[in-house]
Amino acid sequence: METSITKAQQHMGQYNRTLTRARQIAREPALLFAVGGSVVLLALFLFLPLGKVLAMPGLADWLAYFETPRFVKATLNSLFMAVISTASATVLGFVFAYAVTYVEVPGSRFFRIIGLLPLMSPPFVTGLAFILLFGRRGLITWTLLGLRPDIYGWKGLWAVQTFAFFPTAYLSISSVLKAAGSSLEFAAVNLGARRWRVFRDIVLPLATPGIAGAALLVASEVLADFGNPMLIAGDFTVLATESYLELITNWSPARAAVLSTVLLVPALAVFLVQRSIVERRSFVTVTGKPIQGGRVGPAPWLKWGLAAFCLVVALFVVAIYGVILVCAFVKTWGADFTLTAYHFVMAVVHGKELLNSVMLSAMAAAFSALFTVVLAYVVQFKQVPGKAALDFAAVLPSAVPGTVLGIGYILAFNSGPLAMTGTALIIVTFMVFHYMAVGYRTASGMLKQIDRGIEEASTNLGAHSLRSFWSVMLPLMKPAFTTGLLYTFIRSMNSVSGPVFLISPSWKLASVSIINLADHGYWGQASSLGVAVVGSIFVVLGLARFILGEKVRLFEM
């Protein structure tokens, strides 16, 4: 009896707290607008498209999926690539991070730049470069060695995805290795442990959570990859490309929705596991006064071996971007290397794709940065009902492959009062909500470091929530706003898996055009657009650093 009364009292207390929060929100119109607006926007532009994808297929469509060998094979191929590409990219990323961040081999500063360079360009640029280097008319295979190998298929895709996504693993593992203290290493050495045992028993276990998190991030990237399979997979189909063919070529929305749902399942599983690891992991490795100085590190011969390894990787990355640059300004790749600006003029100067990409990406970046900062402020600083649900919804887009969300947008906004198909608005909206998670995470992390007393002091002086946010909190969150702005701009410029469904003759994008041009053999024009996209990103980053007057720490999150 007493237990029942206690439970009833607890429920009543929870109800009263929720009611109090609701009344507080109702008394502040700006806060009510922020909460209500966030819920409506997330419901319309995230959950409605996903709901359309999940609800579209019927029983007959699911039976057709299991009865169609091509669909089942595409599913198995996607899982197969997720395993092998994740493993190789994570191993490469760990070795690179260990050498550059932990050991600090000679040339580490140069290698850090090289490790971040692929993050500034579309992942499928790597696939294009592989074709130019190792294809049937490749610079190395045909021009230098006189060979005509067939690089199309799962082996070529494996190599491409390894080099395209190892920077993701490198960046994630580097942050963990930086945080690891050196006290345990020196203690082990003082007790007589050899360098190899220090690495095996101390360094590797401390890095394991970071390696696991990096592997899950890479796996999500591989599952969502659309551009590289389109360019280099050949007859080796995966779910992302098969979904595209079903919708665009065969115009079968129901079957495309089935394939998208199948793709969403492992992507969500990876997201939930990765989220669990991030929330639970801890890197407390030092107690008492930390030891100042370097680390134990490997033997000198191994250190130089790691430096040589990093040099080989760096040279390969440089070759990837170098060959794209050269191909943009030669007459015919593999046959006539006469310099010409024809491809660049046709693709960049006369075309509108680059201008469209810059304009729409800038619009998406501005709205996304502001929206995520406001949403993080509401979730972290305001006692509003459903905070946990809002927090989950804000990071969920990072788990949804662009192919899935792009198909969802076609299904949700093709007709009715929210019809946007064929307009710039649908592309911008997709970019905002697909890439909002990083901006939100960055803003939330920064808000957790800000003392709530700062805002409370403003409130006690009579400022309402809008005034407090605009005058006090937003200036403090300038780095988070900048990170969200630049990250969304970069990802939007490089996006292809979602926009490939949303573009129209009036609104073509550079990233999608690169795929189309390369697929039809227009290597020079495809390379020219690739050079222009990467160049535009670096120009924007340079302007951001010049205007802000501070170092833009985009990838140190």
Side-chain angles (χ1 to χ4, degrees):
M1 184 68 177
E2 292 180 359
T3 303
S4 300
I5 295 175
T6 302
K7 289 184 178 179
Q9 291 174 341
Q10 290 175 347
H11 289 306
M12 183 60 68
Q14 181 65 32
Y15 172 77
N16 290 334
R17 285 192 295 271
T18 303
L19 186 62
T20 301
R21 293 173 184 172
R23 288 173 177 171
Q24 179 185 2
I25 295 174
R27 287 195 298 267
E28 297 192 54
L31 182 59
L32 179 62
F33 178 78
V35 174
S38 299
V39 171
V40 170
L41 290 175
L42 289 170
L44 284 178
F45 300 117
L46 178 61
F47 289 104
L48 176 62
L50 291 178
K52 288 286 187 180
V53 170
L54 297 175
M56 168 66 72
L59 179 60
D61 300 308
W62 282 104
L63 291 176
Y65 163 78
F66 289 105
E67 294 172 356
T68 306
R70 188 176 79 254
F71 294 163
V72 177
K73 185 178 180 182
T75 303
L76 296 177
N77 288 346
S78 294
L79 297 176
F80 173 69
M81 294 309 304
V83 172
I84 64 172
S85 295
T86 297
S88 55
T90 303
V91 170
L92 180 58
F94 171 74
V95 176
F96 200 83
Y98 176 73
V100 173
T101 304
Y102 205 82
V103 179
E104 295 188 345
V105 298
S108 290
R109 180 171 296 184
F110 169 71
F111 294 142
R112 286 191 184 98
I113 297 173
I114 291 298
L116 295 178
L117 184 60
L119 298 173
M120 305 290 185
S121 64
F124 55 82
V125 165
T126 306
L128 176 58
F130 261 71
I131 295 173
L132 298 176
L133 287 170
F134 304 109
R136 294 173 182 173
R137 304 291 294 185
L139 179 64
I140 295 176
T141 50
W142 171 253
T143 305
L144 298 180
L145 302 177
L147 303 176
R148 294 175 64 90
D150 184 7
I151 64 170
Y152 297 94
W154 72 268
K155 294 179 182 178
L157 182 60
W158 182 23
V160 166
Q161 289 182 334
T162 297
F163 277 91
F165 299 123
F166 95 86
T168 301
Y170 156 70
L171 190 66
S172 179
I173 296 170
S174 290
S175 63
V176 175
L177 293 176
K178 284 180 183 178
S182 58
S183 299
L184 294 178
E185 295 177 51
F186 286 106
V189 170
N190 292 335
L191 292 174
R194 295 179 178 273
R195 295 176 187 269
W196 162 248
R197 190 166 183 182
V198 171
F199 173 81
R200 185 193 66 185
D201 295 342
I202 297 177
V203 177
L204 198 57
L206 289 177
T208 297
I211 295 172
L216 292 169
L217 287 174
V218 173
S220 65
E221 296 272 9
V222 172
L223 285 169
D225 189 19
F226 175 85
N228 287 315
M230 281 292 290
L231 281 178
I232 206 167
D235 294 333
F236 186 83
T237 58
V238 294
L239 285 170
T241 55
E242 198 66 31
S243 301
Y244 169 79
L245 294 175
E246 282 300 312
L247 185 64
I248 302 300
T249 304
N250 301 329
W251 187 241
S252 178
R255 292 193 176 188
V258 168
L259 295 172
S260 297
T261 302
V262 175
L263 177 60
L264 186 61
V265 172
L268 281 177
V270 167
F271 165 74
L272 293 174
V273 174
Q274 194 268 342
R275 182 177 170 89
S276 174
I277 290 176
V278 169
E279 290 177 348
R280 291 184 304 174
R281 74 183 183 188
S282 175
F283 300 108
V284 180
T285 61
V286 179
T287 58
K289 185 178 179 180
I291 295 176
Q292 302 296 326
R295 302 182 184 275
V296 172
W301 66 268
L302 184 55
K303 181 176 181 178
W304 284 102
L306 289 170
F309 171 83
C310 291
L311 181 61
V312 171
V313 174
L315 290 176
F316 199 83
V317 173
V318 170
I320 287 174
Y321 291 93
V323 74
I324 296 293
L325 180 61
V326 173
C327 183
F329 295 100
V330 297
K331 191 172 182 180
T332 305
W333 185 258
D336 187 352
F337 288 93
T338 305
L339 292 178
T340 179
Y342 173 79
H343 303 304
F344 191 86
V345 170
M346 291 296 297
V348 179
V349 179
H350 289 171
K352 295 183 179 180
E353 291 88 345
L354 181 65
L355 180 61
N356 288 344
S357 292
V358 172
M359 182 170 61
L360 299 187
S361 297
M363 293 169 60
F367 184 83
S368 178
L370 183 59
F371 176 62
T372 53
V373 165
V374 171
L375 183 59
Y377 170 73
V378 169
V379 172
Q380 300 297 331
F381 263 59
K382 295 299 178 180
Q383 297 297 319
V384 297
K387 287 174 56 174
L390 274 176
D391 179 73
F392 180 80
V395 298
L396 179 62
S398 64
V400 181
T403 304
V404 177
L405 196 59
I407 291 175
Y409 269 56
I410 288 293
L411 298 178
F413 307 121
N414 194 41
S415 60
L418 293 176
M420 298 187 292
T421 304
T423 67
L425 182 59
I426 193 172
I427 300 174
V428 172
T429 305
F430 170 87
M431 291 174 175
V432 169
F433 288 91
H434 191 217
Y435 300 121
M436 64 175 286
V438 168
Y440 172 79
R441 284 170 175 163
T442 306
S444 296
M446 183 159 289
L447 282 170
K448 290 176 181 178
Q449 300 175 11
I450 297 176
D451 189 354
R452 291 176 179 268
I454 296 176
E455 194 211 21
E456 291 174 359
S458 174
T459 304
N460 292 336
L461 290 174
H464 49 73
S465 293
L466 178 61
R467 178 72 180 274
S468 178
F469 170 77
W470 187 261
S471 302
V472 179
M473 302 305 298
L474 190 57
L476 295 175
M477 298 174 66
K478 179 182 174 183
F481 180 86
T482 304
T483 296
L485 184 77
L486 295 177
Y487 178 86
T488 303
F489 177 81
I490 292 173
R491 293 304 299 264
S492 298
M493 286 289 293
N494 295 332
S495 179
V496 65
S497 58
V500 72
F501 298 99
L502 309 177
I503 60 170
S504 64
S506 300
W507 293 102
K508 295 180 180 179
L509 298 181
S511 56
V512 179
S513 293
I514 293 172
I515 293 287
N516 292 333
L517 289 168
D519 193 44
H520 289 84
Y522 295 102
W523 308 115
Q525 293 186 38
S527 298
S528 296
L529 269 180
V531 170
V533 167
V534 176
S536 300
I537 290 172
F538 276 101
V539 167
V540 169
L541 289 176
L543 288 174
R545 183 172 181 179
F546 175 77
I547 293 172
L548 297 174
E550 61 184 19
K551 185 178 180 181
V552 179
R553 297 182 176 274
L554 180 60
F555 293 109
E556 295 184 19
M557 297 179 286

